[in-house]
Amino acid sequence: MAQRPGEQGPSEEYEGHEAYEAFEAAELLTSARLCVDPELRRAIDSLPGAMRRVALYHFGWQHADGSPASGHAGKAIRPALVLAAVRALGGDQAMAVRAAAAVELTHNFTLLHDDVIDRDTTRRHRPTAWTVFGEPDAVLAGDALQALAQRLLAEDPHPGAPAAAARLASCVVELCAGQHADCALERRGPDEVTLDECLAMAEAKTGALLGCACALGALYAGAGRGEVEALDGFGREAGLAFQLIDDVIGIWGDPGRTGKPARADLAARKKSLPVVAALASGTPAAAELAELYGRLSAGPEQDADLARMAHAVEAAGGRDWALLHAADRMSRALNQLSRAVPLPEEAGGLLVLAEFVTRRTH
């Protein structure tokens, strides 16, 4: 059938739908940031001066010299999940702002520590905190943020707060175990790491906190154990999809949008999921990648090697595997969500956020 003047074709209709979903996600994230930032600022302002200064810089609210800044404090995906989960189960999101802030403080505690461990020099388009204030101050500021998260829940009179505090504490232990596994994998040779090990590490490092965020939302909505566990499962699966996409972006992302140097994960020789999938493929490209991963280079030679690595990962199927596996994990996430929130219209916010984290391409 011919397209009538003024009608949209299938591709235009899809692009319009995708643009609308992106708009919805942006609205949810902006709303979460507006709800949670005042609570975060109050918590951070209670810190002693030196740690407060590092934290305010890390969140983008101050420059290194202590002058005010209007930087990027992150996407607020995790607090948005807390609030969306509360709404999906019929709770009052205004009562869960402390829980959402606690999750965001925990997330940023891990970022401060990860930047030191991974020697990352750029985050959110500017130097990382440890490169500005030194490693000890960055680590201690991260410790303080984690303590603030627990204090927010300990002081919250909401009946769901004690269970939320216990769950968040368990999540932090899992996050630490995931980071420990990540460091252990980095010390092993490219041919000594399996995909199953990397997937388990990614679930602990990324999936655990997204699952915890959703579970805390369920607890603050007064949900039963089955619903809490189902939402935890939803967040974990969505978190693994998120990590798979993030690993793709770590190789092929646009530095102008990511705030990190191009091919930063390859430069650091990270055994990210696309890389390990490529190395396990048994292809000639896998052999080339293993050889490149085992040597160090600098200057123009390094740039050429990084380009060859990115091409080898793609030629060995690592990029396609990661994208397909992300879609599979997203399908599992939706199955978990349907157990807790059977009606799609009630799960709207969670669905939009899940789609957002798995459709990023930069």
Short mmCIF file of all heavy atoms in Angstrom, two decimals, residues 162-213:
data_model
loop_
_atom_site.label_atom_id
_atom_site.label_comp_id
_atom_site.label_asym_id
_atom_site.label_seq_id
_atom_site.Cartn_x
_atom_site.Cartn_y
_atom_site.Cartn_z
N PRO A 162 14.57 -0.86 58.23
CA PRO A 162 15.50 -1.87 58.77
C PRO A 162 15.84 -2.97 57.77
O PRO A 162 17.02 -3.33 57.60
CB PRO A 162 14.76 -2.42 59.99
CG PRO A 162 13.85 -1.30 60.41
CD PRO A 162 13.41 -0.66 59.13
N ALA A 163 14.81 -3.49 57.08
CA ALA A 163 15.07 -4.53 56.08
C ALA A 163 15.87 -3.97 54.91
O ALA A 163 16.73 -4.65 54.34
CB ALA A 163 13.75 -5.11 55.58
N ALA A 164 15.61 -2.71 54.57
CA ALA A 164 16.35 -2.07 53.48
C ALA A 164 17.82 -1.92 53.85
O ALA A 164 18.71 -2.15 53.03
CB ALA A 164 15.73 -0.72 53.15
N ALA A 165 18.09 -1.53 55.10
CA ALA A 165 19.46 -1.35 55.55
C ALA A 165 20.22 -2.67 55.51
O ALA A 165 21.38 -2.72 55.07
CB ALA A 165 19.48 -0.77 56.96
N ALA A 166 19.57 -3.74 55.96
CA ALA A 166 20.22 -5.05 55.95
C ALA A 166 20.50 -5.50 54.52
O ALA A 166 21.56 -6.04 54.21
CB ALA A 166 19.34 -6.07 56.66
N ARG A 167 19.54 -5.25 53.63
CA ARG A 167 19.71 -5.66 52.23
C ARG A 167 20.83 -4.86 51.56
O ARG A 167 21.63 -5.40 50.81
CB ARG A 167 18.39 -5.48 51.48
CG ARG A 167 18.36 -6.25 50.18
CD ARG A 167 16.97 -6.31 49.58
NE ARG A 167 16.93 -7.32 48.56
CZ ARG A 167 16.37 -8.51 48.69
NH1 ARG A 167 15.79 -8.84 49.83
NH2 ARG A 167 16.40 -9.38 47.70
N LEU A 168 20.89 -3.56 51.85
CA LEU A 168 21.93 -2.74 51.25
C LEU A 168 23.31 -3.15 51.77
O LEU A 168 24.28 -3.18 51.01
CB LEU A 168 21.67 -1.26 51.53
CG LEU A 168 22.62 -0.27 50.83
CD1 LEU A 168 22.55 -0.42 49.31
CD2 LEU A 168 22.28 1.16 51.23
N ALA A 169 23.41 -3.48 53.05
CA ALA A 169 24.69 -3.92 53.61
C ALA A 169 25.15 -5.21 52.94
O ALA A 169 26.33 -5.36 52.59
CB ALA A 169 24.55 -4.12 55.13
N SER A 170 24.23 -6.15 52.75
CA SER A 170 24.58 -7.39 52.05
C SER A 170 25.01 -7.11 50.61
O SER A 170 25.92 -7.76 50.08
CB SER A 170 23.38 -8.36 52.05
OG SER A 170 23.06 -8.75 53.37
N CYS A 171 24.36 -6.14 49.99
CA CYS A 171 24.70 -5.77 48.63
C CYS A 171 26.13 -5.23 48.56
O CYS A 171 26.88 -5.55 47.63
CB CYS A 171 23.71 -4.74 48.10
SG CYS A 171 24.08 -4.15 46.43
N VAL A 172 26.51 -4.41 49.54
CA VAL A 172 27.88 -3.86 49.56
C VAL A 172 28.91 -4.98 49.66
O VAL A 172 29.95 -4.94 48.98
CB VAL A 172 28.04 -2.85 50.71
CG1 VAL A 172 29.51 -2.48 50.90
CG2 VAL A 172 27.21 -1.60 50.44
N VAL A 173 28.64 -5.99 50.47
CA VAL A 173 29.55 -7.14 50.55
C VAL A 173 29.67 -7.81 49.19
O VAL A 173 30.77 -8.17 48.74
CB VAL A 173 29.07 -8.14 51.63
CG1 VAL A 173 29.92 -9.40 51.60
CG2 VAL A 173 29.11 -7.50 53.01
N GLU A 174 28.54 -7.97 48.50
CA GLU A 174 28.55 -8.58 47.17
C GLU A 174 29.31 -7.72 46.16
O GLU A 174 30.06 -8.22 45.32
CB GLU A 174 27.12 -8.84 46.69
CG GLU A 174 27.06 -9.67 45.42
CD GLU A 174 25.65 -10.07 45.02
OE1 GLU A 174 24.70 -9.74 45.76
OE2 GLU A 174 25.50 -10.71 43.96
N LEU A 175 29.13 -6.40 46.26
CA LEU A 175 29.87 -5.49 45.38
C LEU A 175 31.37 -5.64 45.60
O LEU A 175 32.15 -5.66 44.63
CB LEU A 175 29.46 -4.05 45.66
CG LEU A 175 28.03 -3.63 45.27
CD1 LEU A 175 27.73 -2.24 45.83
CD2 LEU A 175 27.87 -3.63 43.77
N CYS A 176 31.78 -5.73 46.85
CA CYS A 176 33.21 -5.89 47.15
C CYS A 176 33.73 -7.23 46.62
O CYS A 176 34.85 -7.30 46.08
CB CYS A 176 33.45 -5.81 48.66
SG CYS A 176 33.14 -4.15 49.35
N ALA A 177 32.93 -8.27 46.75
CA ALA A 177 33.33 -9.57 46.22
C ALA A 177 33.46 -9.51 44.69
O ALA A 177 34.39 -10.10 44.12
CB ALA A 177 32.31 -10.64 46.61
N GLY A 178 32.55 -8.79 44.06
CA GLY A 178 32.63 -8.63 42.61
C GLY A 178 33.87 -7.88 42.18
O GLY A 178 34.53 -8.23 41.20
N GLN A 179 34.21 -6.82 42.93
CA GLN A 179 35.41 -6.05 42.61
C GLN A 179 36.66 -6.89 42.84
O GLN A 179 37.62 -6.83 42.07
CB GLN A 179 35.47 -4.79 43.47
CG GLN A 179 36.67 -3.91 43.18
CD GLN A 179 36.69 -3.38 41.76
OE1 GLN A 179 35.75 -2.73 41.32
NE2 GLN A 179 37.75 -3.69 41.03
N HIS A 180 36.65 -7.70 43.90
CA HIS A 180 37.78 -8.58 44.18
C HIS A 180 37.96 -9.57 43.03
O HIS A 180 39.09 -9.82 42.57
CB HIS A 180 37.56 -9.32 45.50
CG HIS A 180 38.70 -10.21 45.89
ND1 HIS A 180 38.80 -11.52 45.46
CD2 HIS A 180 39.80 -9.98 46.65
CE1 HIS A 180 39.90 -12.06 45.95
NE2 HIS A 180 40.53 -11.15 46.68
N ALA A 181 36.85 -10.14 42.55
CA ALA A 181 36.91 -11.08 41.43
C ALA A 181 37.43 -10.39 40.18
O ALA A 181 38.22 -10.96 39.42
CB ALA A 181 35.54 -11.67 41.18
N ASP A 182 37.01 -9.16 39.97
CA ASP A 182 37.46 -8.39 38.81
C ASP A 182 38.98 -8.21 38.85
O ASP A 182 39.67 -8.42 37.85
CB ASP A 182 36.76 -7.03 38.80
CG ASP A 182 36.97 -6.28 37.50
OD1 ASP A 182 37.39 -6.89 36.49
OD2 ASP A 182 36.70 -5.07 37.47
N CYS A 183 39.50 -7.83 40.00
CA CYS A 183 40.95 -7.64 40.14
C CYS A 183 41.70 -8.96 39.92
O CYS A 183 42.76 -8.99 39.30
CB CYS A 183 41.28 -7.09 41.52
SG CYS A 183 40.68 -5.40 41.79
N ALA A 184 41.13 -10.05 40.45
CA ALA A 184 41.77 -11.36 40.28
C ALA A 184 41.81 -11.76 38.81
O ALA A 184 42.82 -12.30 38.33
CB ALA A 184 41.03 -12.41 41.11
N LEU A 185 40.72 -11.49 38.09
CA LEU A 185 40.68 -11.82 36.66
C LEU A 185 41.71 -11.01 35.87
O LEU A 185 42.31 -11.51 34.92
CB LEU A 185 39.28 -11.57 36.10
CG LEU A 185 38.16 -12.49 36.59
CD1 LEU A 185 36.83 -12.09 35.97
CD2 LEU A 185 38.47 -13.95 36.28
N GLU A 186 41.91 -9.77 36.27
CA GLU A 186 42.86 -8.91 35.55
C GLU A 186 44.30 -9.42 35.68
O GLU A 186 45.13 -9.13 34.84
CB GLU A 186 42.76 -7.46 36.06
CG GLU A 186 41.45 -6.77 35.73
CD GLU A 186 41.14 -6.76 34.24
OE1 GLU A 186 42.05 -6.48 33.44
OE2 GLU A 186 40.00 -7.05 33.88
N ARG A 187 44.58 -10.16 36.75
CA ARG A 187 45.94 -10.68 36.95
C ARG A 187 46.20 -11.94 36.15
O ARG A 187 47.34 -12.41 36.09
CB ARG A 187 46.19 -10.93 38.44
CG ARG A 187 46.24 -9.67 39.29
CD ARG A 187 46.78 -9.96 40.68
NE ARG A 187 45.86 -10.79 41.46
CZ ARG A 187 44.93 -10.32 42.28
NH1 ARG A 187 44.77 -9.01 42.41
NH2 ARG A 187 44.14 -11.13 42.97
N ARG A 188 45.15 -12.50 35.55
CA ARG A 188 45.31 -13.74 34.79
C ARG A 188 45.47 -13.47 33.31
O ARG A 188 45.10 -12.41 32.82
CB ARG A 188 44.11 -14.66 35.05
CG ARG A 188 44.14 -15.24 36.47
CD ARG A 188 42.79 -15.66 36.97
NE ARG A 188 42.14 -16.63 36.13
CZ ARG A 188 40.92 -17.13 36.37
NH1 ARG A 188 40.24 -16.71 37.43
NH2 ARG A 188 40.39 -18.01 35.57
N GLY A 189 46.04 -14.42 32.61
CA GLY A 189 46.28 -14.26 31.18
C GLY A 189 44.98 -14.24 30.40
O GLY A 189 43.94 -14.74 30.86
N PRO A 190 45.02 -13.69 29.17
CA PRO A 190 43.80 -13.61 28.35
C PRO A 190 43.14 -14.96 28.08
O PRO A 190 41.92 -15.03 27.94
CB PRO A 190 44.31 -12.98 27.04
CG PRO A 190 45.57 -12.27 27.41
CD PRO A 190 46.17 -13.08 28.51
N ASP A 191 43.95 -16.02 28.04
CA ASP A 191 43.39 -17.34 27.74
C ASP A 191 43.01 -18.12 29.00
O ASP A 191 42.64 -19.29 28.92
CB ASP A 191 44.40 -18.16 26.92
CG ASP A 191 45.74 -18.33 27.64
OD1 ASP A 191 45.98 -17.58 28.61
OD2 ASP A 191 46.52 -19.19 27.23
N GLU A 192 43.09 -17.46 30.17
CA GLU A 192 42.81 -18.15 31.44
C GLU A 192 41.50 -17.71 32.07
O GLU A 192 41.20 -18.08 33.20
CB GLU A 192 43.96 -17.87 32.43
CG GLU A 192 45.31 -18.38 31.96
CD GLU A 192 46.44 -17.94 32.87
OE1 GLU A 192 46.22 -16.99 33.65
OE2 GLU A 192 47.53 -18.54 32.81
N VAL A 193 40.72 -16.91 31.35
CA VAL A 193 39.48 -16.35 31.89
C VAL A 193 38.30 -16.89 31.08
O VAL A 193 38.33 -16.89 29.84
CB VAL A 193 39.51 -14.81 31.83
CG1 VAL A 193 38.19 -14.23 32.29
CG2 VAL A 193 40.65 -14.28 32.67
N THR A 194 37.26 -17.35 31.78
CA THR A 194 36.09 -17.88 31.09
C THR A 194 34.94 -16.87 31.10
O THR A 194 34.88 -15.98 31.96
CB THR A 194 35.60 -19.18 31.76
OG1 THR A 194 35.06 -18.87 33.05
CG2 THR A 194 36.73 -20.19 31.89
N LEU A 195 34.03 -17.05 30.16
CA LEU A 195 32.85 -16.18 30.10
C LEU A 195 31.99 -16.32 31.34
O LEU A 195 31.44 -15.34 31.84
CB LEU A 195 32.03 -16.50 28.85
CG LEU A 195 32.34 -15.70 27.59
CD1 LEU A 195 31.53 -16.23 26.42
CD2 LEU A 195 32.05 -14.22 27.81
N ASP A 196 31.85 -17.54 31.84
CA ASP A 196 31.03 -17.74 33.04
C ASP A 196 31.58 -16.96 34.23
O ASP A 196 30.82 -16.37 35.01
CB ASP A 196 30.95 -19.24 33.39
CG ASP A 196 30.02 -20.01 32.46
OD1 ASP A 196 29.22 -19.35 31.76
OD2 ASP A 196 30.09 -21.25 32.45
N GLU A 197 32.90 -16.95 34.39
CA GLU A 197 33.51 -16.18 35.47
C GLU A 197 33.23 -14.69 35.30
O GLU A 197 32.93 -13.98 36.27
CB GLU A 197 35.03 -16.41 35.49
CG GLU A 197 35.45 -17.77 35.98
CD GLU A 197 36.96 -17.94 35.89
OE1 GLU A 197 37.53 -17.72 34.80
OE2 GLU A 197 37.56 -18.28 36.93
N CYS A 198 33.34 -14.21 34.07
CA CYS A 198 33.12 -12.78 33.83
C CYS A 198 31.66 -12.40 34.04
O CYS A 198 31.37 -11.31 34.55
CB CYS A 198 33.55 -12.43 32.40
SG CYS A 198 35.33 -12.40 32.19
N LEU A 199 30.75 -13.27 33.65
CA LEU A 199 29.33 -12.98 33.85
C LEU A 199 29.00 -12.94 35.35
O LEU A 199 28.25 -12.08 35.80
CB LEU A 199 28.47 -14.01 33.14
CG LEU A 199 28.42 -13.90 31.61
CD1 LEU A 199 27.82 -15.14 30.99
CD2 LEU A 199 27.63 -12.66 31.19
N ALA A 200 29.56 -13.89 36.12
CA ALA A 200 29.31 -13.90 37.56
C ALA A 200 29.89 -12.64 38.21
O ALA A 200 29.26 -12.05 39.09
CB ALA A 200 29.95 -15.15 38.18
N MET A 201 31.07 -12.24 37.76
CA MET A 201 31.67 -11.02 38.30
C MET A 201 30.82 -9.80 37.97
O MET A 201 30.59 -8.92 38.81
CB MET A 201 33.08 -10.86 37.73
CG MET A 201 33.82 -9.60 38.14
SD MET A 201 33.53 -8.21 37.01
CE MET A 201 34.35 -8.81 35.53
N ALA A 202 30.32 -9.72 36.73
CA ALA A 202 29.51 -8.57 36.32
C ALA A 202 28.20 -8.51 37.08
O ALA A 202 27.72 -7.42 37.43
CB ALA A 202 29.24 -8.64 34.81
N GLU A 203 27.61 -9.67 37.37
CA GLU A 203 26.36 -9.66 38.14
C GLU A 203 26.61 -9.11 39.54
O GLU A 203 25.81 -8.33 40.07
CB GLU A 203 25.76 -11.06 38.26
CG GLU A 203 24.46 -11.05 39.06
CD GLU A 203 23.78 -12.40 39.17
OE1 GLU A 203 24.16 -13.33 38.46
OE2 GLU A 203 22.85 -12.50 40.00
N ALA A 204 27.75 -9.48 40.14
CA ALA A 204 28.05 -8.99 41.48
C ALA A 204 28.39 -7.50 41.47
O ALA A 204 27.95 -6.74 42.33
CB ALA A 204 29.21 -9.79 42.08
N LYS A 205 29.16 -7.06 40.47
CA LYS A 205 29.61 -5.67 40.44
C LYS A 205 28.53 -4.69 40.01
O LYS A 205 28.47 -3.56 40.49
CB LYS A 205 30.80 -5.53 39.48
CG LYS A 205 32.15 -5.83 40.10
CD LYS A 205 33.28 -5.33 39.21
CE LYS A 205 33.33 -3.82 39.18
NZ LYS A 205 34.49 -3.30 38.42
N THR A 206 27.69 -5.11 39.08
CA THR A 206 26.69 -4.19 38.50
C THR A 206 25.26 -4.61 38.81
O THR A 206 24.44 -3.83 39.26
CB THR A 206 26.88 -4.07 36.98
OG1 THR A 206 28.22 -3.69 36.70
CG2 THR A 206 25.93 -3.05 36.39
N GLY A 207 24.96 -5.88 38.58
CA GLY A 207 23.59 -6.36 38.77
C GLY A 207 23.12 -6.28 40.20
O GLY A 207 21.95 -5.98 40.47
N ALA A 208 24.03 -6.51 41.15
CA ALA A 208 23.64 -6.55 42.56
C ALA A 208 23.02 -5.24 43.02
O ALA A 208 21.98 -5.23 43.69
CB ALA A 208 24.84 -6.91 43.43
N LEU A 209 23.62 -4.11 42.65
CA LEU A 209 23.11 -2.83 43.15
C LEU A 209 21.83 -2.42 42.43
O LEU A 209 20.94 -1.83 43.04
CB LEU A 209 24.17 -1.73 43.01
CG LEU A 209 23.84 -0.41 43.70
CD1 LEU A 209 23.49 -0.60 45.17
CD2 LEU A 209 24.98 0.59 43.57
N LEU A 210 21.71 -2.74 41.14
CA LEU A 210 20.45 -2.43 40.45
C LEU A 210 19.32 -3.30 41.01
O LEU A 210 18.19 -2.84 41.18
CB LEU A 210 20.59 -2.63 38.94
CG LEU A 210 21.00 -1.36 38.18
CD1 LEU A 210 22.45 -0.99 38.45
CD2 LEU A 210 20.79 -1.53 36.67
N GLY A 211 19.64 -4.57 41.31
CA GLY A 211 18.64 -5.42 41.94
C GLY A 211 18.27 -4.91 43.32
O GLY A 211 17.09 -4.89 43.69
N CYS A 212 19.26 -4.48 44.08
CA CYS A 212 19.00 -3.94 45.42
C CYS A 212 18.13 -2.69 45.34
O CYS A 212 17.22 -2.50 46.17
CB CYS A 212 20.33 -3.64 46.10
SG CYS A 212 20.19 -3.06 47.80
N ALA A 213 18.40 -1.83 44.37
CA ALA A 213 17.60 -0.61 44.21
C ALA A 213 16.12 -0.95 44.02
O ALA A 213 15.25 -0.36 44.67
CB ALA A 213 18.11 0.21 43.02
#
